[in-house]
Amino acid sequence: MSEASPAKAYALHLGVIALLFALSFVLPEYYHGLLARIMVLAVFAMGYNMLFGYVGLLSLGHAMFFGAGLYGAGLAIIQLGWGVPLAFLVGIACGAVLALVIGLLALRTTGVAFMIVTMMFAQVFSLLILYFATWTGGDQGQVVPQPARVLNLGATSLDLTDPTVRYMSALLLFSLVLLVTLAIVRSRYGRVLVAIRENEERTKMLGYDTFSNKLMAVVVSGTICAASGAAYALLFGYVGSSFASVQYSILPLLWVLLGGAATTLGPLIGTVFMYYVIDVSSGYTSAYLLIVGIALILLVLFFPKGILGTIRQRWLGWLP
Amino acid sequence: MTPLLATKGLSRHFGGLRAVDNVDFTLMPGEIRAVIGPNGAGKTTFVSMVSGRIQPSSGAIVFDGADITGMPAYVRVRQGIAYTFQITSIYANLSVYANVALPVQLTLRHGPSKSAIQAAVMTALERTGLADRAHMPAGQLSYGHQRLLEVAMGLALKPRLLILDEPTQGLADSEIDNFIVLVRDIARSATVLLIEHNMPVVMQLADRITVFNAGKILAEGTPEAIRENAAVQEAYLGTAP
């Protein structure tokens, strides 16, 4: 599992990236836009998977990290008038700092208590956004004006509202995070994270400082989720409090469970699958959430390890 | 010669129970020391305090001349104190190889290459006779082999002091013979502190024996002296001479 064929794993991941690149030229307009959104949200899921899948820490508050990136980047543009690159970095930094603080506090607990503590912090975050409505726009949210969403690179300027630019930006971020995740998972640090998930007490007695390893994982996870949130604000131009609500803490959990926890490509597959089911079922009935719910129950019953987790277990043991 | 390990007035109380009560203990480098005693005598509590899994209520622990009483467990491991669990505690879902790679990559953390890790893992697995099972999931090993894997993980840490907590529990007789050979081999490079109930194993392996009873050290000496000790026979073996 850990030693087999790095070349095969990297080839597969580069293949997926190439496929997504090629899809940009063949997809009809609606799906083109949808896939760009899915790729950004898959980054959110990958960040979540880092902590939930590999370290085994179930957080119910990751919306706050997505929200930190979203609001960090969005408000830097709307309130401070900063440029796109700087706003993106501000969003990521907000997520990283928040994750560090939350990690220091929440990691004093484990299991159910960790779930509750992270959920409470996310509630606080969400309520703060509503409280500071003059800045954040409250429950109405705010639109990032189109003229501000232009990336100036010397003589050329990239309009992030242009569908192709938006798609390629989303793909770039997705690819980067995917490859970083793959590298982390295959590294010695990744092996320690899995060891903590499997048996934390033993890992301590093998000489590892499990607290700081977990804290590091929370920060990496929160930072990736914030990158997704920041990209969302810049590419789709809406900064709203619903993204910091509890729903957006549960969604990444569902995407990861669907695709397969502790698989590098599972978050993408889960996110695509969920959007696909919603898309198809909403074409037939307005009660599409019922169909989504049934699909989820069936998956958990028959594929408890998720789509990719089951494939790995049955056929492709080398999948990272 | 400075002792490798010394405890002074080491105590641990659980409520009103004095699990370990004011224990002064000294272990010289290179020794194989067996700790014996009836169930509930405080043996596991004692070694748990040495390894850092349990904090003492009072007293001090000195390892190689330095006070380690307040040191977290993972730092002690890095200082050279390895502990193998009484209840088998391996990573059942990971391969045997990955189980041992984890401690190996810690000891090689200054620029380890993939081949260096592989070599060290295979050395530890060969010493414990698990090399041909390297790619099995650890949970599928037989119980005896899981015990050996525990020892291999301890060995991979290249410890100066290896604490074995009832390592032969549940092993077949043939496995025990191999185990005795293995511990002798380990003792050439590390000091061994062995909690053990199996008296033939203790008598064959130990240079010295420490007998615990009711949280205190009842007696200490060579295997012959302990065998002849009337108090020990009364407390532990239960047969008056």
Side-chain angles (χ1 to χ4, degrees):
Chain A
M1 189 161 105
S2 52
E3 300 309 305
S5 57
K8 217 151 83 174
Y10 278 100
L12 173 72
H13 288 71
L14 291 174
V16 168
I17 292 168
L19 177 71
L20 288 169
F21 180 77
L23 280 174
S24 169
F25 302 103
V26 293
L27 281 179
E29 196 185 335
Y30 170 70
Y31 287 104
H32 188 266
L34 186 63
L35 191 54
R37 196 177 297 256
I38 286 173
M39 284 191 290
V40 172
L41 292 175
V43 170
F44 184 19
M46 285 193 279
Y48 188 83
N49 187 34
M50 196 74 229
L51 195 64
F52 170 66
Y54 291 98
V55 196
L57 284 170
L58 200 161
S59 149
L60 285 180
H62 261 52
M64 66 182 144
F65 302 129
F66 185 82
L70 187 83
Y71 277 91
L75 295 183
I77 290 180
I78 298 167
Q79 302 291 355
L80 303 172
W82 290 1
V84 165
L86 204 54
F88 186 60
L89 290 178
V90 167
I92 292 176
C94 285
V97 172
L98 182 67
L100 181 67
V101 174
I102 298 295
L104 279 170
L105 296 169
L107 284 176
R108 301 160 72 94
T109 64
T110 51
V112 177
F114 183 80
M115 289 159 59
I116 294 170
V117 168
T118 47
M119 193 170 169
M120 288 299 124
F121 277 122
Q123 279 306 105
V124 171
F125 183 87
S126 171
L127 291 172
L128 282 176
I129 283 171
L130 297 179
Y131 184 80
F132 291 103
T134 43
W135 265 64
T136 61
D139 56 358
Q140 301 286 313
Q142 270 171 301
V143 172
V144 184
Q146 185 171 358
R149 288 160 57 200
V150 174
L151 183 59
N152 292 307
L153 296 166
T156 57
S157 62
L158 290 170
D159 182 0
L160 296 182
T161 57
D162 173 75
T164 307
V165 174
R166 180 159 67 188
Y167 187 97
M168 289 305 164
S169 307
L171 177 60
L172 183 67
L173 176 69
F174 171 82
S175 311
L176 201 67
V177 172
L178 181 67
L179 294 177
V180 166
T181 312
L182 179 62
I184 291 177
V185 166
R186 296 189 51 84
S187 72
R188 266 171 261 128
Y189 175 62
R191 190 182 270 154
V192 175
L193 294 185
V194 170
I196 291 173
R197 180 189 74 200
E198 295 290 319
N199 190 341
E200 181 165 355
E201 189 58 26
R202 189 59 168 121
T203 309
K204 256 185 225 168
M205 296 311 292
L206 289 179
Y208 289 97
D209 180 359
T210 54
F211 182 85
S212 50
N213 277 294
K214 287 195 291 186
L215 183 61
M216 184 73 177
V218 172
V219 172
V220 170
S221 168
T223 306
I224 292 174
C225 294
S228 165
Y232 199 94
L234 297 170
L235 298 178
F236 302 102
Y238 175 64
V239 176
S241 62
S242 60
F243 290 113
S245 69
V246 70
Q247 189 194 352
Y248 272 81
S249 289
I250 308 249
L251 279 174
L253 172 64
L254 291 181
W255 296 330
V256 168
L257 280 176
L258 268 178
T263 61
T264 46
L265 288 166
L268 173 69
I269 291 176
T271 316
V272 168
F273 188 84
M274 185 94 132
Y275 269 85
Y276 183 74
V277 171
I278 290 174
D279 203 50
V280 170
S281 57
S282 61
Y284 291 101
T285 165
S286 59
Y288 64 93
L289 281 177
L290 182 71
I291 298 176
V292 172
I294 291 170
L296 282 176
I297 290 170
L298 289 177
L299 258 160
V300 171
L301 277 179
F302 296 106
F303 301 95
K305 288 177 185 264
I307 298 166
L308 213 56
T310 305
I311 291 175
R312 171 163 73 188
Q313 190 182 22
R314 301 233 176 118
W315 300 291
L316 302 174
W318 55 271
L319 277 179
Chain B
M1 196 155 61
T2 46
L4 183 68
L5 176 73
T7 71
K8 295 188 191 86
L10 196 65
S11 301
R12 172 71 206 205
H13 303 164
F14 296 106
L17 174 73
R18 290 156 181 254
V20 171
D21 191 11
N22 204 19
V23 166
D24 295 323
F25 176 88
T26 313
L27 180 63
M28 301 308 284
E31 241 185 276
I32 299 180
R33 175 72 66 93
V35 174
I36 64 172
N39 285 325
K43 307 181 297 288
T44 293
T45 307
F46 175 71
V47 296
S48 294
M49 286 191 280
V50 171
S51 66
R53 297 182 68 216
I54 298 180
Q55 278 299 305
S57 306
S58 63
I61 306 165
V62 176
F63 182 68
D64 200 17
D67 190 310
I68 60 163
T69 314
M71 196 181 264
Y74 75 89
V75 184
R76 297 187 200 198
V77 176
R78 292 172 180 220
Q79 302 278 325
I81 302 179
Y83 176 80
T84 70
F85 283 64
Q86 177 179 10
I87 296 157
T88 306
S89 179
I90 53 173
Y91 304 101
N93 295 323
L94 305 186
S95 69
V96 170
Y97 183 96
N99 269 266
V100 182
L102 210 62
V104 162
Q105 73 184 27
L106 183 84
T107 56
L108 293 175
R109 66 187 177 281
H110 300 296
S113 65
K114 198 154 196 162
S115 59
I117 289 181
Q118 193 156 14
V121 171
M122 291 320 286
T123 307
L125 288 179
E126 270 155 22
R127 282 179 79 179
T128 46
L130 293 171
D132 53 341
R133 293 177 172 78
H135 292 286
M136 275 173 75
Q140 287 178 18
L141 291 177
S142 71
Y143 182 77
H145 285 134
Q146 291 190 7
R147 298 298 303 168
L148 285 172
L149 179 56
E150 273 276 348
V151 177
M153 290 160 81
L155 270 182
L157 287 166
K158 298 204 193 318
R160 285 192 284 164
L161 171 62
L162 179 62
I163 301 172
L164 299 166
D165 196 348
E166 299 200 22
T168 67
Q169 195 182 40
L171 292 192
D173 286 348
S174 59
E175 292 172 322
I176 289 178
D177 292 341
N178 291 334
F179 190 81
I180 290 172
V181 175
L182 174 62
V183 173
R184 284 221 177 92
D185 179 45
I186 293 169
R188 285 189 285 139
S189 58
T191 308
V192 175
L193 184 58
L194 173 78
I195 296 184
E196 187 53 73
H197 274 305
N198 186 325
M199 289 314 289
V201 172
V202 171
M203 291 299 170
Q204 282 182 67
L205 276 176
D207 300 320
R208 290 173 70 79
I209 298 175
T210 301
V211 186
F212 270 70
N213 191 32
K216 291 177 191 293
I217 292 181
L218 181 69
E220 196 169 284
T222 61
E224 293 70 30
I226 293 297
R227 202 194 314 245
E228 303 304 322
N229 187 310
V232 172
Q233 290 182 2
E234 197 176 321
Y236 185 57
L237 305 171
T239 48

